[in-house]
Amino acid sequence: MNANTPITHTQAETGLIARYESVRAGLAGTDAVVALRDASADQLRRTGLPHRRVEEYKYTDLRAYMKSSAPLAADATADEAKAILEATDGFGDLGRYRIVIANGRFMDGLSDVEALAREGITVTDFNTALAGDNGAALLAVPASADGDGTLALNTAFVQGGVMLSVREGADVSKPVELVHVAAGEGAQVTRCRIAVAPGAKLKLLETFAGDTGMGETNAVFDYDIADTGELTVTRLIEGDGEGAKLFTTLARLGSEARFHTLGFIAGPSFVRNQQFVAFAGENSEARLFGVTMARDRALADQTLIVDHTMPNCSSREFFKTVLDDEAKGVYQGRINVAPHAQKTDGEMMTQALLLSEGPEMANKPELEIFADDVLCAHGATSGQIDEDLLFYLRARGIPEDEAKTLLVLAFLSEAIEEFGEDDLTGMLEERVRAWLAARS
């Protein structure tokens, strides 16, 4: 569709445009921030929601899925947020600090702000930062994400979030859980920026609790990892909500930086977890993992673009998907290697396991290489449970359902274990078992 061709707005698009007009005056930000919001809202008017004629959304048609537009979620009370947190705590006794965002707003009273300060982490309300002199810069996006419809929606409507700044050399003793709480129905649009200073190390858990009903969730996580910094992120996307779940990672790596992440999807009816990773310094490493489970008529999309713009950097992408019923899985991955990014080492693999005849998997791994001294490869597989392996287990007295569970668990655990977070491996594998148990 030509960008200049007028479109007929859907009911959802009309509702989103009306929503922006009604909330514009109450959203945080300087005049420069408002200008960026207005430009993003104008993009929505001109092009509508992302749809199948946009190559990056060919398999994930948000325009077709969103039938209506819920209002932005109202403010939640501390008691409401606390009750949801207590009812949905999935980490048990795992030691961690917690930052709470409820209905898009940072809840400092429920967050471990003082303890984090002692660890070398400064926590700032994102709305406060948007109102500062540097507010507009906080909404900047990399070139590879410019014009992305999900990001444009976030920029227009972002209603809050947090900024975490990890001081130089800090080695945070426990993971930090960044939990988004939905109290009541409504759309939640948040942005979180995590700045890891030189030599600092942080492990981040990103979780989502409660149910937005038909309202969409649109969360952007912006990671700035300075030279020799290390950031490990585990993102859990669970639940049975009907609203679109849209998650975006923006990551920039300085020299000798390390970025490891796992996106774990199980449950939502429509979810897109997209990542834009760019190397801004030499000798850095990005390792991106994904585990996806979908059933019924759900759609689960893992999309990523890795920009190798500096020499001597490496990236690994390893994604596993299990589908049942009439679910649809999507993997779109692209490694870009710039002409001057010599000695790049990039490897991408996506594998899907289909548990019945109805699911559909779209695999689209890509390489765009403009340098001649590189080592890059990609691969994709889709198939069903190996009948020989199933027979082998059943011949040893293992019931069929348990045998299938063992095979699926072994398939997904390969990515979980290679991710390498031993404290989380058992918990993630239990989530796989629970999903399989619900299936049967």
Side-chain angles (χ1 to χ4, degrees):
M1 181 181 295
N2 189 293
N4 296 319
T5 302
I7 67 168
T8 301
H9 291 130
T10 65
Q11 180 179 345
E13 289 164 345
T14 300
L16 286 167
I17 293 167
R19 180 208 292 176
Y20 182 71
E21 296 301 327
S22 67
V23 302
R24 177 180 181 274
L27 294 172
T30 61
D31 289 345
V33 169
V34 173
L36 290 174
R37 291 185 185 274
D38 288 346
S40 296
D42 186 58
Q43 177 180 326
L44 174 64
R45 293 187 188 93
R46 289 183 289 103
T47 65
L49 291 165
H51 49 79
R52 61 185 177 85
R53 293 187 183 181
V54 178
E55 182 64 25
E56 293 79 8
Y57 287 82
K58 180 179 180 180
Y59 306 104
T60 308
D61 192 332
L62 185 58
R63 192 175 198 237
Y65 179 80
M66 284 186 65
K67 304 300 183 184
S68 61
S69 170
L72 286 176
D75 289 352
T77 67
D79 288 341
E80 289 174 329
K82 187 175 181 179
I84 292 172
L85 288 170
E86 291 174 348
T88 58
D89 184 6
F91 286 103
D93 297 330
L94 178 68
R96 66 201 187 275
Y97 299 112
R98 175 175 273 174
I99 298 292
V100 179
I101 300 170
N103 287 6
R105 282 80 173 180
F106 170 49
M107 308 289 282
D108 58 349
L110 298 178
S111 303
D112 297 318
V113 177
E114 293 182 2
L116 287 171
R118 291 191 291 270
E119 291 273 11
I121 300 178
T122 301
V123 184
T124 306
D125 186 297
F126 195 78
N127 281 341
T128 300
L130 282 179
D133 294 338
N134 201 40
L138 299 177
L139 299 180
V141 301
S144 58
D146 190 32
D148 179 76
T150 296
L151 268 172
L153 282 176
N154 185 276
T155 299
F157 292 104
V158 60
Q159 62 190 135
V162 294
M163 289 181 58
L164 305 183
S165 299
V166 188
R167 76 175 176 222
E168 184 171 355
D171 188 354
V172 184
S173 63
K174 296 188 293 187
V176 176
E177 182 187 10
L178 190 58
V179 55
H180 288 65
V181 176
E185 298 188 354
Q188 297 198 42
V189 187
T190 59
R191 205 163 183 129
C192 298
R193 180 178 172 84
I194 291 83
V196 180
K201 298 179 181 180
L202 174 66
K203 293 185 178 182
L204 195 65
L205 309 173
E206 296 167 353
T207 60
F208 305 86
D211 185 5
T212 59
M214 292 301 295
E216 74 269 17
T217 298
N218 188 325
V220 172
F221 299 89
D222 187 357
Y223 311 127
D224 189 357
I225 309 168
D227 297 350
T228 68
E230 297 183 15
L231 177 63
T232 301
V233 179
T234 306
R235 180 176 300 163
L236 302 183
I237 304 171
E238 301 172 297
D240 300 315
E242 291 298 319
K245 310 301 181 186
L246 308 172
F247 304 93
T248 302
T249 292
L250 307 174
R252 293 172 299 279
L253 283 68
S255 298
E256 300 182 30
R258 300 291 180 267
F259 176 53
H260 295 181
T261 180
L262 171 70
F264 186 97
I265 298 175
S269 59
F270 187 103
V271 58
R272 179 179 173 95
N273 184 42
Q274 60 180 10
Q275 304 183 65
F276 301 90
V277 179
F279 291 93
E282 295 189 40
N283 300 306
S284 293
E285 174 189 272
R287 294 171 61 85
L288 315 178
F289 298 88
V291 170
T292 301
M293 297 175 289
R295 65 163 63 92
D296 300 325
R297 297 179 63 86
L299 183 148
D301 178 339
Q302 299 261 26
T303 289
L304 61 95
I305 296 176
V306 179
D307 284 324
H308 281 271
T309 57
M310 300 294 290
N312 302 302
C313 293
S314 68
S315 65
R316 293 288 184 273
E317 295 80 38
F318 189 28
F319 286 73
K320 296 270 196 172
T321 302
V322 172
L323 303 174
D324 200 6
D325 304 320
E326 297 180 56
K328 181 176 180 180
V330 179
Y331 174 83
Q332 298 181 102
R334 188 168 81 237
I335 297 175
N336 298 326
V337 182
H340 54 279
Q342 304 294 345
K343 303 295 183 182
T344 286
D345 183 356
E347 185 176 324
M348 178 188 302
M349 173 59 75
T350 169
Q351 297 176 330
L353 187 62
L354 312 182
L355 301 184
S356 56
E357 297 294 331
E360 177 183 340
M361 183 69 197
N363 279 321
K364 189 186 174 187
E366 300 175 86
L367 300 175
E368 291 192 1
I369 302 172
F370 298 97
D372 54 14
D373 187 6
V374 302
L375 181 63
C376 291
H378 67 65
T381 65
S382 292
Q384 296 181 320
I385 288 179
D386 189 312
E387 292 297 330
D388 290 339
L389 290 176
L390 184 60
F391 176 80
Y392 177 87
L393 294 176
R394 294 192 66 194
R396 279 146 184 80
I398 300 175
E400 183 174 357
D401 286 345
E402 179 61 19
K404 288 182 177 179
T405 294
L406 291 173
L407 291 174
V408 174
L409 182 60
F411 174 78
L412 293 177
S413 291
E414 188 177 0
I416 294 171
E417 292 175 2
E418 190 167 334
F419 179 53
E421 291 300 302
D422 294 340
D423 291 343
L424 300 177
T425 297
M427 179 270 294
L428 293 173
E429 291 179 345
E430 282 304 310
R431 279 169 154 79
V432 173
R433 284 185 174 275
W435 185 86
L436 291 168
R439 170 181 180 264
S440 59

